[in-house]
Amino acid sequence: MALVVGTDTYATDDQLEAYALARGITLTGDAEVLLVKAMDYLESRTYKGEKTDDDQPLQWPRSGVYLSNGNATPSDTVPADIVNAQCQLACDADRFELIGSGASVKSKTVGDVSVTYADGSRQFSVLAGNILAPYLAAAGFSWVTRA
């Protein structure tokens, strides 16, 4: 299977390999499969702004995306952070499932807090979450008050 940037993926195999190498990560899985798993996660998220073209197959590029510094992201390219997030998620997917019901707790202790997760359970990629945070739409919530 050959992934096509802009259609199936944001990152190439070479970008993933360079990202992993720079961080001392040795990938054991197939790069394309890992990139697809990362895309499944990325495409399930809700981002700021809107697709530049309604007919584009992926969420990015987008228009109307403003970061906390007030700068808009270019509407004709995919931000490097999104490519890096895909690479980080692909590295994570080599170690655990990205999309699932959550991590299963095998044991827990309340006094002095201790948690052990079941082997193979899903974990949250904090690094990928931090990379994506500026681009994600805020989760909606509302206040309920009593009159």
Side-chain angles (χ1 to χ4, degrees):
M1 128 178 98
L3 298 179
V4 178
V5 172
T7 301
D8 306 306
T9 185
Y10 299 121
T12 64
D13 292 5
D14 290 342
Q15 287 172 307
L16 171 57
E17 290 171 17
Y19 183 94
L21 181 64
R23 288 155 183 81
I25 299 170
T26 301
L27 298 174
T28 58
D30 179 85
E32 288 189 351
V33 171
L34 296 174
L35 287 169
V36 168
K37 288 181 177 187
M39 284 304 295
D40 289 345
Y41 181 87
L42 286 173
E43 293 298 292
S44 73
R45 304 308 306 259
T46 304
Y47 298 98
K48 295 176 181 177
E50 55 191 42
K51 288 182 175 183
T52 302
D53 179 351
D54 288 337
D55 294 328
Q56 70 191 44
L58 302 177
Q59 292 288 335
W60 291 90
R62 298 181 75 78
S63 60
V65 178
Y66 293 88
L67 303 178
S68 60
N69 62 8
N71 292 334
T73 61
S75 61
D76 59 347
T77 59
V78 176
D81 285 340
I82 300 299
V83 175
N84 287 336
Q86 184 184 6
C87 291
Q88 181 59 50
L89 287 163
C91 291
D92 293 342
D94 200 35
R95 297 176 301 148
F96 56 85
E97 288 301 316
L98 298 176
I99 299 177
S101 60
S104 332
V105 176
K106 183 166 47 174
S107 67
K108 67 179 176 179
T109 308
V110 176
D112 290 327
V113 187
S114 171
V115 176
T116 305
Y117 294 100
D119 296 336
S121 65
R122 183 175 77 86
Q123 303 164 19
F124 178 72
S125 174
V126 174
L127 181 54
N130 289 341
I131 295 169
L132 287 174
Y135 302 93
L136 296 174
F141 67 92
S142 60
W143 294 97
V144 177
T145 57
R146 185 176 262 178

